[in-house]
């Protein structure tokens, strides 16, 4: 008896920076390459997640900071080979190359493989992280389900990279500053603003973290994020365009759900892609109670 194995057309690979819920990655056979963490001082502290452990570390006066390291070449090779055994072509959508060396390792791993494998692997730098990166993955999934070709999908995702917006409210900037993801200038701006009752918001711009604005006289993180979001999306909503949004948080689900409610009340044209707690490796540089919002205009492009 001759058995013919039919490969599925297009599969996806991400890294753990995307913060996608496990149910989405498992349901859609998305392979997740883990970014690594090293912080032995907190590993055995009580807590259900990294943020609870960080709070405990502060109570105990632990002064060290967690460190992240990019996946190994072998991590990506294993992920590529696994997905290539299932799919004809695979697309990796990685966290910003300007914030991590993870994407560069993926490039090296692809080049390490033979040409027959290389032509089936496509790499996209999201120039984003967490909600923004995750939304680009959801966009790719939607295009796969519409039976678009791999070249059409690559073109569409690259077109959406600069259209994907991510804003973030950081409660305590010391974690980001220690990791080198923000400058001492931005860290001091956040600290000074907080002292006088101003909530500063940062954003991803061209793959880097930059100031996005500040909100006066608002206590809740959700309200602060929403006000910046409202300003940024004013023209989109007035034109009746649909957007997809995602929310992630640093063990601050109450504020995350409140933000979701505020956005959904704002417009019927806003659809949530996912809401999730931030993963460990992003968490140790963002800190407890961080709140992140990403959004992407839902476009209908015609393919020739």
């Amino acid at each position: 008896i001759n058995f013919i194995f039919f490969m599925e057309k297009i599969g996806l690979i991400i890294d753990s920076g995307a913060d996608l819920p496990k149910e989405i990655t498992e349901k859609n056979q998305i392979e997740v390459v883990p970014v690594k963490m090293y912080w032995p001082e907190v590993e055995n502290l009580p807590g259900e997640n990294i943020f609870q452990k960080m709070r405990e570390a502060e109570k105990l006066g632990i002064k060290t900071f967690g460190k992240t390291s990019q996946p190994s070449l072998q991590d990506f090779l294993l992920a590529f080979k696994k997905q290539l055994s299932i799919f004809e072509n695979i697309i990796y959508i990685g966290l910003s190359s300007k914030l991590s060396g993870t994407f560069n390792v993926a490039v090296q791993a692809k080049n390490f493989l033979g040409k027959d494998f290389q032509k089936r692997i496509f790499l996209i730098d999201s120039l984003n992280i967490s909600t923004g990166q995750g939304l680009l993955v959801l966009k790719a999934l939607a295009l796969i389900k519409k039976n678009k070709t791999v070249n059409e999908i690559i073109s569409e995702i690259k077109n959406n990279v600069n259209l994907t917006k991510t804003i973030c409210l950081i409660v305590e900037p010391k974690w980001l500053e220690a990791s080198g993801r923000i400058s001492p200038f931005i860290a001091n701006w956040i600290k000074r603003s907080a002292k006088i009752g101003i909530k500063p918001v940062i954003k991803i711009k061209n793959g880097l973290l930059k100031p996005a604005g500040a909100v006066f006289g608002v206590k809740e993180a959700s309200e602060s994020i929403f006000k910046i979001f409202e300003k940024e999306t004013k023209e989109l909503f007035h034109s009746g365009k649909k957007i997809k949004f995602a929310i992630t948080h640093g063990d601050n689900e109450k504020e995350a759900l409140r933000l979701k409610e505020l956005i959904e009340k704002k417009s019927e044209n806003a659809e949530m892609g996912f809401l999730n707690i931030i993963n460990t490796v992003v968490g140790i540089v963002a800190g407890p109670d961080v709140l992140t919002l990403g959004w992407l205009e839902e476009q209908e492009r015609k393919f020739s």
Side-chain angles (χ1 to χ4, degrees):
I1 300 173
N2 293 321
F3 292 96
I4 301 175
F5 178 67
F6 292 97
M7 300 181 84
E8 296 188 51
K9 286 186 177 181
I10 302 167
L12 295 174
I13 295 177
I14 61 171
D15 51 65
S16 51
D19 285 333
L20 280 174
K22 196 173 182 180
E23 56 266 28
I24 291 179
T25 58
E26 289 184 347
K27 179 182 177 182
N28 296 284
Q29 293 181 278
I30 300 173
E31 187 69 12
V32 183
V33 179
V35 183
K36 298 170 184 177
M37 179 195 83
Y38 179 75
W39 199 358
E41 293 87 349
V42 306
E43 286 176 6
N44 295 320
L45 292 180
E48 295 178 2
N49 55 58
I50 189 61
F51 303 105
Q52 292 177 12
K53 291 177 182 287
M54 291 169 85
R55 293 184 186 117
E56 190 67 24
E58 289 202 295
K59 288 178 187 177
L60 296 172
I62 294 174
K63 301 296 184 184
T64 60
F65 294 92
K67 296 179 180 179
T68 62
S69 61
Q70 60 210 31
S72 68
L73 190 71
Q74 185 67 12
D75 291 330
F76 272 106
L77 288 173
L78 289 171
F80 287 163
K81 289 176 181 178
K82 177 182 177 181
Q83 292 297 75
L84 288 171
S85 70
I86 304 170
F87 301 97
E88 290 180 15
N89 297 291
I90 55 174
I91 301 170
Y92 165 63
I93 301 175
L95 67 85
S96 174
S97 62
K98 297 181 181 180
L99 293 174
S100 168
T102 300
F103 187 80
N104 187 50
V105 178
V107 173
Q108 292 174 35
K110 175 181 175 178
N111 292 337
F112 189 83
L113 296 170
K115 289 186 178 179
D116 287 341
F117 284 136
Q118 287 183 27
K119 66 184 182 183
R120 296 167 56 197
I121 301 170
F122 300 84
L123 310 179
I124 299 176
D125 184 351
S126 74
L127 291 177
N128 225 302
I129 196 168
S130 193
T131 49
Q133 184 183 352
L135 285 170
L136 288 171
V137 178
L138 293 187
K139 184 73 175 180
L141 273 176
L143 293 168
I144 290 170
K145 289 174 182 177
K146 289 180 179 179
N147 294 315
K148 301 300 180 185
T149 67
V150 70
N151 288 329
E152 287 173 338
I153 295 170
I154 297 299
S155 174
E156 179 73 352
I157 298 304
K158 286 185 175 180
N159 181 64
N160 277 267
V161 164
N162 291 328
L163 300 175
T164 307
K165 309 297 183 183
T166 299
I167 56 177
C168 178
L169 192 144
I170 301 290
V171 176
E172 173 51 73
K174 68 179 181 181
W175 312 103
L176 273 172
E177 185 181 10
S179 73
R181 266 70 176 193
I182 61 172
S183 66
F185 173 81
I186 296 177
N188 288 330
W189 170 67
I190 294 172
K191 291 173 189 175
R192 289 196 306 269
S193 298
K195 285 180 181 178
I196 56 174
I198 301 171
K199 282 190 165 52
V201 176
I202 59 176
K203 64 182 176 182
I204 296 280
K205 184 176 182 180
N206 299 323
L208 292 169
L209 293 168
K210 303 285 185 181
V215 181
F216 299 80
V218 177
K219 290 184 179 180
E220 291 78 14
S222 55
E223 292 274 359
S224 299
I225 286 278
F226 178 72
K227 284 186 177 296
I228 298 292
F229 167 77
E230 196 173 29
K231 180 182 177 182
E232 294 278 336
T233 57
K234 187 176 180 180
E235 290 185 11
L236 278 178
F237 282 121
H238 280 173
S239 63
K241 292 181 179 179
K242 294 182 179 180
I243 69 162
K244 182 161 282 188
F245 69 94
I247 299 168
T248 56
H249 62 92
D251 194 37
N252 192 9
E253 189 175 36
K254 180 182 177 182
E255 284 297 287
L257 290 171
R258 174 64 179 147
L259 178 57
K260 172 181 179 288
E261 180 184 348
L262 287 168
I263 294 171
E264 290 178 339
K265 280 186 177 179
K266 168 71 177 177
S267 176
E268 294 179 354
N269 289 338
E271 177 191 358
M272 191 178 76
F274 64 92
L275 186 154
N276 198 22
I277 190 168
I278 293 173
N279 74 76
T280 298
V281 292
V282 177
I284 65 168
V285 299
D289 299 317
V290 59
L291 192 61
T292 299
L293 170 65
W295 67 91
L296 175 61
E297 178 187 337
E298 289 284 88
Q299 297 177 315
E300 288 293 331
R301 289 183 70 200
K302 292 183 179 180
F303 296 93
S304 56

